[in-house]
Amino acid sequence: MDIDSGTRQAWDFVEHTGKSIFLTGKAGTGKTTFLRSLKAHSHKRMVVVAPTGVAAINAGGVTIHSFFQLPLSPYLPNTTFDNRFSYSKEKRKIMRTIDMLVIDEISMVRSDVLDAVDNVLRRFREHDKPFGGVQLVMIGDLHQLTPVTRPDEEVLLKQYYDTPYFFGSHALKNVDYVTIELRHVYRQQDEDFLKILNDVRDGHVTTDDLNALNSRYNPTFRPNADDGYIRLTTHNRKADDYNRHELQALTTKMYTFDAQIEKDFPEYDYPTDYRLTLRTGAQVMFLKNDPKGRYYNGRIGRVTYVDENMILVLCPGDEKAIEVERETWENTKYKLNEESKQIESEVVGSFVQYPLRLAWAITIHKSQGLTFDHAIIDAQMSFASGQVYVALSRCKTLAGMVLASPINASAIINDDRVTDYVAAQDAAAQKSIERLPQLKEEYYRHLLVELFSFRPLTIAESGLDRVMQEFFYGKTALAALHHSALLDMQTKIVPVAEKWTTMIGSMTSEQVHATNFLDRVKRSAAYFAGQLTDIFEDLLRRTGQLEVSNKMAKKRLDNAYSDVHDMWLSKRILLDDIARNGFSPQDYLKMKQEAILSAMSENEPSKKSRGSATRGRQSTATATAKGDNKPKPDTKLASFDLYKQGKTINEIASERNLKPQTIFNHLAFYALRGEIPMETLLPPAHRATIEKVIAKTGTDDGTKAIKSLCPPEISYEEIRLVITLMKDSKSQA
């Protein structure tokens, strides 16, 4: 794809700043191509979501509702989801570590859905920042399909939102984002056809435009089965009628499958026909994503065999037909608890049916994002803004289009709210584009300041200190150490870091990029890493070994401990990396994500070790009977198993997506038990050097002081292992 100015600007904003963007453009201008390039080449960690299953598959992502586990009911501002909306460990990791959230087909996303996303991200990231501080990349065309809102939902949402479009989101109004429009059209090369499409998009269709379009009107057109024509209609009912007609034209035996419905599942919410009728040769579309990955919502195929007990569907590009099984859809009701402001949920019914529907025809909504060489368009009964434009712009050429019904001016609907918004964004965009060099510089400084920000860790330790004072006052020494750690953070870490922040803000661009300054960054990173190790390492190890029988105390401790442990370890790993490798925005982002993931993985065994005394004595049989309480594999043991296969520390780290330092600590556990030769982790020369340094300095000043007197090839992990060996030796003596 040729790179136009809009594409370059979009890439610069996305990759080299922290500024959110709305990437728009006419159909066929390369929005999807830009997304693919972004996924392939960006240094940032991202998640791609879309409002519908088809759009998500086309974007190589997942639906918004499935990823964020949102209820189907409208989201009302200032509400929170209760604990029944549980998120897996993997999902929490992903949300905590992403730099960027990409939302494709943003024109179809309702304003309240965007606010619900904001709510979830704030929960797992920075609660005081819109969308938890994540950079948004919103891709779509407001002149195409609009958000779908049922009449009852519209009545409810009007109380809170001035428009259903995404730009009505309360959270988004607090985000300083830029609009970039791609202008070069790649899908269509015919200038006359392009002019017609542009006029339809802008709502300025001329008589000549209508005459040219209606020259393709042919109500009696019947394509051959192999011509590859698909019919686009405005309404589900029209698509259903056409599909029924095509089904009747087949001569193979007909089979009917009734859905199984339990309790409350309203007819208007049926995900497919209650009575599904099929024949061999029928063209069908899947309506759900297959857990086995064989099909997705929107995939089209042809029935190759059907009887009372079996349906086989062959999809284009597949060599083997898919044996389709029944799927279950649940009807969940949600209500707002006025007192708690919680959205409460309950499964009140289910619908079980084969996830198929006839698909000689599909609705225009289902076609958004797709491109066809040949299409039959029936858009006379258009009812939504942008519907006609979407249908027409799916076609590469005017000659590849057949109109089943004529198009008149009344079918081309435009929304003044969209027109006004786009005009305002165009004016603001130019100002942001002019500030691009400044924004790049601001982003560079932001990452530097973030590196030396310790307030989140201080706040987390304050919470853990409160838990210790409230529930573990009997553990006087340990509680006192936590209070001391909090004071150390407030007096030794935060003030020094704040001086760094002030200095970075006052320096010139040349100064913050200079080699001598970046050398200072490396030295400061080493300083802070050492300080954090001295304050927290032994303290958190001892805290992680606490036995807790009180359920409330255990829950409070688990949560507070996890926050401190993850923040401390991820920050220390990151600082260690910067101290060794130096700072650059791209490397920093990569190292930050790796550090967070390593910390969270390392924390898992510690959390499990703090079971109550009762649960610790629970029999294996009982634990197995309770599926949710089944023990998960020990992360240390997983590393040990790979080691026994002959793999090196770096190879194990790569395979498990963990830091080498983490793997070293896993294996050190087994080395101390005598199951791994100590010299394989700790070269005798390194051990001798460390012991000599310790003999001179002692260990009271922490590992940082020892490290400063050791050769650079000796790691903190090796130092800590030697200290442990020396302590063990003394205790045995």
Side-chain angles (χ1 to χ4, degrees):
M1 179 180 83
D2 297 330
I3 304 298
D4 61 18
S5 61
T7 303
R8 290 193 192 94
Q9 289 164 354
W11 178 261
D12 277 342
F13 274 109
V14 170
E15 192 67 4
H16 301 302
T17 81
K19 196 176 184 71
S20 296
I21 77 165
F22 169 37
L23 182 70
T24 189
K26 303 178 179 71
T29 51
K31 298 186 295 294
T32 300
T33 304
F34 178 88
L35 172 55
R36 290 175 184 151
S37 180
L38 188 65
K39 291 171 63 181
H41 302 295
S42 176
H43 289 91
K44 296 184 178 181
R45 187 177 174 91
M46 73 186 74
V47 165
V48 180
V49 297
T52 68
V54 173
I57 293 299
N58 291 337
V62 297
T63 66
I64 296 173
H65 281 77
S66 67
F67 182 80
F68 291 103
Q69 299 172 212
L70 303 180
L72 299 177
S73 59
Y75 172 80
L76 304 184
N78 301 318
T79 62
T80 57
F81 304 124
D82 63 17
N83 292 329
R84 280 175 283 186
F85 294 97
S86 59
Y87 297 82
S88 68
K89 177 182 138 185
E90 182 181 22
K91 184 68 67 67
R92 296 195 305 271
K93 279 186 181 181
I94 293 171
M95 284 193 283
R96 281 194 59 189
T97 59
I98 59 173
D99 302 299
M100 181 162 58
L101 175 66
V102 181
I103 308 176
D104 199 24
E105 301 293 3
I106 189 68
S107 71
M108 299 173 66
V109 178
R110 290 200 320 251
S111 51
D112 66 299
V113 173
L114 211 52
D115 280 344
V117 170
D118 168 72
N119 180 291
V120 175
L121 287 173
R122 285 179 190 254
R123 187 191 309 182
F124 295 107
R125 297 175 58 89
E126 299 176 76
H127 66 88
D128 58 340
K129 293 183 179 179
F131 302 95
V134 171
Q135 181 183 26
L136 298 181
V137 179
M138 302 168 286
I139 303 175
D141 182 8
L142 281 165
H143 292 288
Q144 298 189 42
L145 295 180
T146 61
V148 177
T149 308
R150 295 203 307 260
D152 58 325
E153 295 173 336
E154 190 173 358
V155 171
L156 178 62
L157 291 172
K158 276 185 176 179
Q159 302 175 42
Y160 302 93
Y161 296 95
D162 54 7
T163 174
Y165 291 99
F166 77 92
F167 54 81
S169 157
H170 298 302
L172 189 63
K173 290 176 181 177
N174 293 316
V175 176
D176 181 23
Y177 63 99
V178 60
T179 297
I180 303 292
E181 182 177 1
L182 304 181
R183 300 183 184 277
H184 183 77
V185 178
Y186 297 92
R187 181 178 294 155
Q188 296 90 9
Q189 303 302 318
D190 183 339
E191 292 296 330
D192 292 333
F193 188 35
L194 276 173
K195 178 187 177 301
I196 294 171
L197 291 178
N198 290 339
D199 290 347
V200 172
R201 180 178 186 267
D202 297 336
H204 300 143
V205 64
T206 66
T207 301
D208 289 343
D209 295 333
L210 292 173
N211 288 339
L213 288 172
N214 288 317
S215 70
R216 304 301 303 162
Y217 173 52
N218 185 353
T220 61
F221 178 74
R222 292 286 300 178
N224 296 319
D226 298 330
D227 286 347
Y229 276 87
I230 188 166
R231 193 177 188 92
L232 305 181
T233 70
T234 53
H235 293 72
N236 281 315
R237 176 182 53 78
K238 297 192 71 174
D240 292 343
D241 289 345
Y242 187 81
N243 287 327
R244 195 175 298 112
H245 177 271
E246 294 300 304
L247 184 68
Q248 294 293 336
L250 298 175
T251 58
T252 51
K253 185 175 179 180
M254 189 177 294
Y255 293 88
T256 299
F257 307 91
D258 287 349
Q260 302 164 10
I261 298 175
E262 293 186 5
K263 298 182 181 179
D264 182 18
F265 208 110
E267 186 173 350
Y268 59 77
D269 280 338
Y270 287 178
T272 185
D273 296 332
Y274 171 83
R275 179 158 292 172
L276 175 65
T277 303
L278 297 176
R279 284 174 158 167
T280 298
Q283 187 165 296
V284 294
M285 175 185 288
F286 286 97
L287 300 172
K288 215 172 187 192
N289 296 332
D290 178 32
K292 301 176 183 177
R294 300 170 298 169
Y295 55 81
Y296 52 83
N297 183 10
R299 194 176 192 193
I300 292 177
R302 193 169 295 276
V303 177
T304 58
Y305 178 83
V306 58
D307 63 21
E308 294 91 344
N309 303 308
M310 181 182 290
I311 302 173
L312 298 179
V313 176
L314 183 65
C315 298
D318 290 354
E319 296 181 357
K320 184 180 178 183
I322 300 166
E323 183 175 349
V324 187
E325 301 167 346
R326 290 180 182 264
E327 293 280 355
T328 301
W329 289 262
E330 292 180 340
N331 179 34
T332 306
K333 292 290 187 183
Y334 300 90
K335 62 180 182 179
L336 179 65
N337 185 313
E338 294 292 342
E339 263 187 42
S340 65
K341 298 297 183 183
Q342 299 272 328
I343 295 176
E344 300 174 347
S345 64
E346 179 186 9
V347 176
V348 296
S350 63
F351 181 100
V352 181
Q353 180 60 287
Y354 290 102
L356 297 171
R357 77 166 24 150
L358 298 174
W360 282 280
I362 63 173
T363 63
I364 294 169
H365 270 84
K366 290 278 188 186
S367 76
Q368 182 155 324
L370 304 179
T371 302
F372 306 118
D373 290 315
H374 304 286
I376 302 169
I377 297 173
D378 184 6
Q380 186 180 35
M381 298 177 65
S382 171
F383 62 89
S385 175
Q387 206 169 22
V388 171
Y389 174 68
V390 170
L392 298 177
S393 60
R394 298 310 93 197
C395 303
K396 290 183 177 180
T397 64
L398 187 62
M401 176 196 310
V402 175
L403 297 184
S405 58
I407 293 177
N408 54 53
S410 63
I412 300 171
I413 305 168
N414 287 85
D415 194 321
D416 290 339
R417 292 172 296 183
V418 169
T419 304
D420 294 342
Y421 169 78
V422 170
Q425 289 300 110
D426 285 345
Q430 190 56 42
K431 295 180 180 177
S432 292
I433 292 168
E434 291 170 358
R435 290 185 63 238
L436 181 57
Q438 181 183 342
L439 291 169
K440 288 183 179 180
E441 182 67 19
E442 288 175 0
Y443 185 60
Y444 178 88
R445 293 172 188 258
H446 165 75
L447 295 181
L448 277 171
V449 169
E450 184 181 80
L451 171 64
F452 296 120
S453 173
F454 300 94
R455 285 203 171 275
L457 177 57
T458 305
I459 292 170
E461 174 57 26
S462 177
L464 181 53
D465 179 52
R466 285 195 300 272
V467 171
M468 295 299 300
Q469 304 303 322
E470 182 176 353
F471 291 99
F472 301 95
Y473 47 83
K475 306 283 185 180
T476 309
L478 190 58
L481 286 173
H482 273 285
H483 198 63
S484 177
L486 179 60
L487 291 175
D488 284 344
M489 289 294 296
Q490 294 170 336
T491 57
K492 296 179 180 179
I493 301 291
V494 173
V496 180
E498 287 179 341
K499 289 179 181 178
W500 260 98
T501 301
T502 303
M503 182 179 66
I504 292 169
S506 65
M507 296 173 73
T508 66
S509 178
E510 291 77 13
Q511 288 173 328
V512 294
H513 291 273
T515 302
N516 63 339
F517 173 74
L518 293 175
D519 287 339
R520 287 186 64 189
V521 171
K522 291 175 67 174
R523 292 194 300 271
S524 294
Y527 165 80
F528 284 117
Q531 289 291 324
L532 290 182
T533 298
D534 293 346
I535 294 172
F536 285 106
E537 185 171 56
D538 186 64
L539 176 62
L540 290 178
R541 179 186 59 79
R542 294 173 62 179
T543 307
Q545 295 172 347
L546 276 175
E547 290 283 337
V548 188
S549 58
N550 182 289
K551 288 184 178 180
M552 174 62 74
K554 181 182 183 306
K555 182 179 179 181
R556 291 279 301 278
L557 178 63
D558 280 349
N559 291 336
Y561 174 88
S562 294
D563 285 345
V564 175
H565 178 278
D566 290 357
M567 289 185 190
W568 163 72
L569 187 55
S570 61
K571 180 68 81 171
R572 199 206 73 193
I573 293 172
L574 177 60
L575 289 165
D576 279 342
D577 282 339
I578 297 295
R580 285 193 300 269
N581 304 312
F583 175 87
S584 73
Q586 291 79 11
D587 291 340
Y588 170 80
L589 290 171
K590 182 181 179 182
M591 288 187 288
K592 183 180 74 169
Q593 310 310 339
E594 290 178 352
I596 293 173
L597 292 171
S598 293
M600 294 181 74
S601 297
E602 186 74 4
N603 184 30
E604 198 63 22
S606 299
K607 288 178 66 177
K608 292 175 200 166
S609 70
R610 288 194 306 278
S612 68
T614 302
R615 192 167 64 192
R617 293 190 295 270
Q618 188 181 41
S619 71
T620 304
T622 304
T624 304
K626 298 179 180 180
D628 292 343
N629 293 330
K630 186 177 179 179
K632 297 180 181 177
D634 188 337
T635 187
K636 296 191 298 296
L637 183 58
S639 298
F640 187 42
D641 288 340
L642 292 172
Y643 167 82
K644 290 189 291 186
Q645 296 175 22
K647 296 187 176 182
T648 66
I649 287 177
N650 287 335
E651 289 171 342
I652 298 169
S654 177
E655 183 168 332
R656 299 200 63 203
N657 197 26
L658 296 173
K659 300 288 289 186
Q661 298 97 312
T662 301
I663 304 302
F664 183 99
N665 291 332
H666 290 173
L667 300 183
F669 173 82
Y670 294 97
L672 290 166
R673 291 170 52 170
E675 298 180 49
I676 293 177
M678 187 61 68
E679 57 268 20
T680 62
L681 292 181
L682 186 63
H686 286 199
R687 179 174 181 175
T689 299
I690 297 168
E691 287 176 343
K692 287 180 182 177
V693 172
I694 291 175
K696 293 179 180 178
T697 66
T699 59
D700 292 343
D701 292 331
T703 55
K704 176 176 170 290
I706 300 170
K707 182 73 166 67
S708 66
L709 298 174
C710 290
E713 61 269 18
I714 290 178
S715 69
Y716 277 105
E717 285 70 32
E718 291 174 317
I719 294 170
R720 285 189 282 271
L721 182 54
V722 170
I723 291 173
T724 301
L725 287 168
M726 294 175 73
K727 287 180 179 177
D728 289 348
S729 178
K730 285 183 181 178
S731 64
Q732 291 172 8

